[in-house]
Amino acid sequence: MKTFLMALIILIAAGAQADTTAKIDKILMYEGGNLVYIYPVGGVQNKPACHGSNGDYLSFSMARPMAK
């Protein structure tokens, strides 16, 4: 599980094209929608324009080519 979490963090950082370091409060996997939600401690900083107002998390689809 620890290896999976480290790989997940690397994928997120690579996808954002920026160096990012954060402590993660929790990771939720919603298998019904094939989604992963990542809740960083202290919330999302420097939010991109596409960031929704329905929560302080990052999310991505496991259907993305690099997600698996």
Side-chain angles (χ1 to χ4, degrees), residues 5-25:
L5 294 178
M6 290 302 294
L8 185 61
I9 292 168
I10 291 168
L11 285 173
I12 291 169
Q17 299 298 319
D19 291 330
T20 303
T21 303
K23 290 185 178 183
I24 297 174
D25 182 39

